[in-house]
Amino acid sequence: ALAGLGFLGGWSRKRKTATIAACVTATWKWSVVAAASLLLAGHICCASCSQSLAKESNNCTMASQEWNYLELGNIRSTLIRQEDTILFQLIERAQFKRNFAIYQDDAEFLKGTGISGSYVRNLLQETEVIHSKARRYTSPDEKPFTSRSQLPDPVLPPLVVPEEMKYLKSIDVNLNNKIYDLYTSTILPWITKEGDDGQYGSSSVCDIQALQALSKRIHYGTFVAESKFRSQPEEYTRLIKAGDRQGIMDLLTNKEVEEKVVKRVQNKATAYGQEITDETSSVHGPAIPEDKLKLFKVNPETMGKIYREIIIPLTKEVEVDYLLQRA
């Protein structure tokens, strides 16, 4: 309505002002009506939902009828989304230097604080204590870095696990100690600059978020393993009964798919990790020249390397461990 006032060139200033005021008032009134309608709709919806939920038990169902957690297409979609999370977390961590002191047991800056062990480990445990109360570690793909005996019980009611997911719930495969060691000894040197910038708090928070994202992605291998087992039960059962670890590894490995994952991760890292300027971006194309890498927050090839040499092998290790226990 206000845009249309450009046609009122012949009107008096007083008349224009009155017209603008009327338009604003009308717009405000309709905004109030629209907002009230939305609130009413929300109230009706909430009331309806409350009545529906009141008929259910206090327990929560883990899987809905609309989502099949064991369908390979759904698993693939989940893993692709997790790539984004991992890349963004590693990009965040890469802005700080290595800050080796936060991984040292009883580091100098911890004296007088009452904290024993490393700063990152302590902060990670405190974080997992809170998340445990929120039922995080009752999900099959969520594994704590802290011993479960040191974590409190959930405050929320337990999840109701569907029958088809009972193995995922009962079999506990946890590679977090190995993930932590590889993160601090290999991934950090690949993505951060050597040195100490004093950003201990920020670096530690980024570490925790990255570690949790990596752990979730790697332990989602249990879902992959269960799905693959259901697609070839006879072959997997024979290998499991024989204790043929290498045979299971060979059966579940698909090199072509793995290379596609690595390539996709590199392309995403190229898009997400570059410093945006007014020049053309380098989302796709040949290898990035050395002189152009300075425009990137992380090296895209390094992100692909993390997947090829760490994430994918650990995921397959989770799959094999899971299947051997499934027998």
Side-chain angles (χ1 to χ4, degrees), residues 91-108:
I91 289 171
E92 283 293 293
R93 179 60 181 91
Q95 67 184 301
F96 306 110
K97 291 188 176 181
R98 188 82 45 80
N99 294 326
F100 182 71
I102 61 178
Y103 312 104
Q104 285 182 307
D105 289 345
D106 306 317
E108 184 69 25

Side-chain angles (χ1 to χ4, degrees), residues 54-196:
K55 298 177 184 178
E56 302 293 336
S57 66
N58 289 328
N59 293 335
C60 298
T61 303
M62 183 173 179
S64 65
Q65 294 179 348
E66 292 80 14
W67 184 264
N68 181 0
Y69 284 85
L70 298 178
E71 199 273 316
L72 273 178
N74 292 337
I75 291 174
R76 181 176 181 273
S77 297
T78 300
L79 295 178
I80 289 175
R81 288 198 305 273
Q82 290 175 5
E83 293 168 5
D84 301 339
T85 303
I86 290 171
L87 286 171
F88 281 121
Q89 298 301 344
L90 294 180
I91 289 171
E92 283 293 293
R93 179 60 181 91
Q95 67 184 301
F96 306 110
K97 291 188 176 181
R98 188 82 45 80
N99 294 326
F100 182 71
I102 61 178
Y103 312 104
Q104 285 182 307
D105 289 345
D106 306 317
E108 184 69 25
F109 76 96
L110 291 176
K111 287 186 177 179
T113 63
I115 296 176
S116 60
S118 76
Y119 181 69
V120 169
R121 275 287 191 180
N122 273 271
L123 194 60
L124 180 56
Q125 180 172 339
E126 293 295 326
T127 302
E128 291 187 330
V129 166
I130 297 173
H131 290 180
S132 181
K133 294 178 181 179
R135 198 174 57 196
R136 178 170 190 166
Y137 304 112
T138 61
S139 180
D141 57 330
E142 295 281 9
K143 309 294 181 182
F145 288 82
T146 307
S147 171
R148 290 186 184 272
S149 63
Q150 296 179 278
L151 297 177
D153 293 330
V155 174
L156 297 176
L159 294 168
V160 176
V161 181
E163 180 65 22
E164 64 269 18
M165 297 178 68
K166 64 180 181 180
Y167 292 107
L168 289 167
K169 182 68 175 177
S170 62
I171 298 175
D172 188 22
V173 178
N174 190 334
L175 298 187
N176 275 345
N177 286 336
K178 185 177 290 189
I179 293 171
Y180 183 90
D181 290 342
L182 284 170
Y183 177 79
T184 55
S185 67
T186 305
I187 294 178
L188 282 176
W190 284 352
I191 68 171
T192 61
K193 293 180 180 178
E194 188 62 61
D196 190 313

